Every structure is written in C-alpha cells, then in structure tokens.
Amino acid sequence: MRVESEAQLAEAVRDAGGALAVRGGGTRPVGRCLGEPLEVGISGITLYEPGALTLVVGAGTPLAEVEAAIAAEGQRLPFEPANWGPVLGVRGQSTVGGVVAANVSGPRRVQAGACRDSLIGTRFVDGRGQIVKNGGRVMKNVTGYDLVKLMAGSWGTLGVMSEVAFKLLPAAPSQATVVIDLPAGAAQVALAAALGSPFDVSGAGWLPGTGAVVRVEGLAESVAYRAEQLRRLMEPFGPVRVEEEGSAAIWQSLRDLEPFIGKDGDLWRLSVKPSEASDLVARLGGEVLLDWGGGLIWALLPEGSDVRALASPYTGHATCMRGAAGVTFEPEPAPIATLTTALRAQFDPKGILNPGRMS
C-alpha cells in the first residue's frame, strides 16, 4: 500500500485492520518489519526560504533531491546524513522521513549536532489515524521542541511522518583533512586532542586503509591555517599529512561505510563513551570504523557474533544493523522501558505501527 498525501496516510492508518510496516525508500531495513507494508510517497519541497535557512519537505522526498536543491543555493543539512543502502545490501532511494525516523547523523555531528538538533517541525499521523502537528516552519515560530525531537529516532513506532522542517547551514567553501597514520586502537587519544583544540573540527574518525582523520571546514585561508595547526598538534601521535583534494572523498567513504560494502558478516553499530573506544576495539576484533571521535564504532564481524558479550562492559548501546542477532536494538533498562511503553500506548494505542521494530 502506497500513500501520496497526508489525507491518504491518515485514512490508511485509521482503517488498518492490523499491523503496518512503515517504509520510505526501503534503505534502512533494520530490525523486524512486521505487518502490511505502508509506503510513504508524500514527496516534494513545500517551502524553502534560503534567506531564512529553513526547509519544509514531504517525508517521502528522496534525500538526494533535497540535497541537490539546497546545494544549488550554497546550503546543506548540518548533520551530514549517511546513505546506508549499499552497505546494508538494499537498493532504493533514501528518503527524508527515513533519515529522521532513524535519526541518521554523520561525521559533522561532533560540530553541528544530530539530525534531531536540526529538526524544527514535523507533521505526522499517530496510531489512531489522527494528524498531529508540532514545532514550526520557521525558527521564530518554533514551539514544542521535545515532541519534534521525540520523533527523531523513533523508527516509525510513534507515528508516520508526512512532513518535516529543518534549519539549514551555509555550505563550507573549503575543507581539509589531517590524516594520522595510527591503528584503530590508538586513534581515540589523538582524536580527543583534536576535538579539544580551538580549531573547530567538523569530523574526527578512523577509516580502514587511511588512518585517523580530522576535518576542518570554512573559508580557504582559515582552513589552511587550522589544518596546519592541527598537523603540528598531531605530530606526536604518528606520521601526519594534510589532504585537501581528496578530503571530501575520505568523509564520504567514512560516512557511508564504503570499506564494508559488499563484505560478508554481521554489521554492528555501537554508540559509546569515546574514552572506551580503544578497549572496545581490542575486545571486538574484526574490522572497525570509528566516527564522532570514537563515540561511534562500526564493527564488521563473523556471522553470529555476540557483540554485546564481546564488548561488555561498555557504556552505551549496540545495534545489529545487518545480521541475524536475536535482539537488534540494545535492551532498555527497566525505567526507560517503562517510559517507552507508556509513550507508545499514548501515540499508538492499538500497537499497529512497526510492531517489533525496536526489539
């Protein structure tokens, strides 16, 4: 079943006789998707004011279409969303609603925040088939931040989004990447030093085959100065160089997990305290990729690996993005599980929206 308007979406949910498996472009098949497929095709940019740095768009709009439109005005989504489709082995076009539902946030999160931090408004249909509006279309009219942010990362279990509004940022005219020749297990200390510097780092990670990488963006003269200062700061950690022409390709590879595309194994995503990254890398083994200064670890391991057992103890959560794990998402502590159950009962009393998705 495909819907192409908010009214159709509300009717479809209201008249549903059972569970609905909500999808956009189908590029994030994480967790169990039970029920009749409900494809959200509400597409198109409904309001774009470059001067106000705000954008309102249908939830089913392809992400590539949005990025092309705002790039033409010299702007970008602050949170640098990733395209997980290729690494998860699926085809399709990532949609804006899917990005918000999964709170997809790329390397620039360390500087600009997560997807939810750029979200200023949303419209969605709850489990009763009622249309709910929260937040605003421009920054001065924004209210209800908490509910807007609640939808980000809910994986379609609280409501089916029909429209989202973002604040944008000007695109940086120049960038450079400082590359440090370090193994993954030794990278976090160097990344922490870079992030703690005054040089406004917009990305800090570790990429297989490349090493530890630190990005700066902005005006050309500023980028050149900050990259040189970071190069000097990183010298005690290992051989270091500054990459300019190849900088964008490095971060696309890290953001979209290109080193793992086409490789067999289970793919896990661990969001943890950065200070735990070195020990976790040692315990996990396998192939890893680091982002957010070590706060995000992607691990490619043999099929059937019990990553939570291998990684324990750790502070954070581990999600099986691709594989046959019995429990895809990190089990919630009892107090949080109680809150989650109460929220779902309020937004989706019949329990029809993506049941089983978060388990």
Side-chain angles (χ1 to χ4, degrees), residues 24-287:
T27 60
R28 306 182 199 281
V30 179
R32 294 181 297 166
C33 299
L34 307 176
E36 179 185 359
L38 174 61
E39 183 177 349
V40 180
I42 305 170
S43 182
I45 296 173
T46 54
L47 176 68
Y48 178 29
E49 297 184 356
L53 291 170
T54 55
L55 171 78
V56 182
V57 62
T61 308
L63 176 63
E65 180 181 321
V66 170
E67 290 182 322
I70 62 178
E73 297 291 338
Q75 296 178 354
R76 66 186 179 188
L77 293 167
F79 51 93
E80 197 174 2
N83 177 15
W84 291 343
V87 77
L88 296 181
V90 295
R91 296 181 179 180
Q93 293 191 82
S94 176
T95 63
V96 173
V99 167
V100 174
N103 193 33
V104 179
S105 311
R108 202 174 291 114
R109 180 176 184 171
V110 296
Q111 181 194 58
C115 172
R116 61 166 50 96
D117 298 306
S118 295
L119 191 65
I120 59 175
T122 183
R123 293 175 67 96
F124 63 92
V125 174
D126 68 10
R128 301 179 181 86
Q130 298 174 334
I131 298 172
V132 181
K133 175 186 176 183
N134 195 250
R137 289 185 163 206
V138 295
M139 288 301 295
K140 66 179 180 180
N141 292 333
V142 171
T143 58
Y145 269 112
D146 290 344
L147 183 53
V148 169
K149 293 178 184 294
L150 188 65
M151 296 303 294
S154 64
W155 290 88
T157 60
L158 301 179
V160 186
M161 281 175 283
S162 57
E163 182 182 271
V164 292
F166 295 107
K167 61 181 179 181
L168 307 174
L169 284 178
S174 181
Q175 66 171 271
T177 297
V178 179
V179 181
I180 311 100
D181 186 7
L182 281 174
Q188 190 275 326
V189 176
L191 299 178
L195 287 167
S197 76
F199 303 121
D200 198 18
V201 168
S202 69
W206 187 88
L207 185 65
T210 301
V213 288
V214 177
R215 180 178 62 189
V216 288
E217 299 176 292
L219 298 175
E221 290 186 2
S222 172
V223 166
Y225 171 77
R226 287 181 287 137
E228 174 58 21
Q229 296 304 308
L230 282 166
R231 185 192 67 78
R232 295 177 182 179
L233 182 65
M234 294 294 102
E235 280 183 337
F237 297 100
V240 59
R241 71 179 193 277
V242 175
E243 187 72 48
E244 296 179 357
E245 291 186 2
S247 179
I250 288 173
W251 292 96
Q252 177 179 311
S253 180
L254 189 148
R255 181 195 68 202
D256 295 344
L257 310 176
E258 290 181 358
F260 296 161
I261 293 175
K263 291 187 176 181
D264 294 334
D266 291 350
L267 180 64
W268 285 78
R269 180 183 186 273
L270 294 88
S271 182
V272 297
K273 289 173 59 176
S275 59
E276 297 179 356
S278 296
D279 290 341
L280 283 169
V281 167
R283 289 199 291 268
L284 287 170
E287 297 183 59

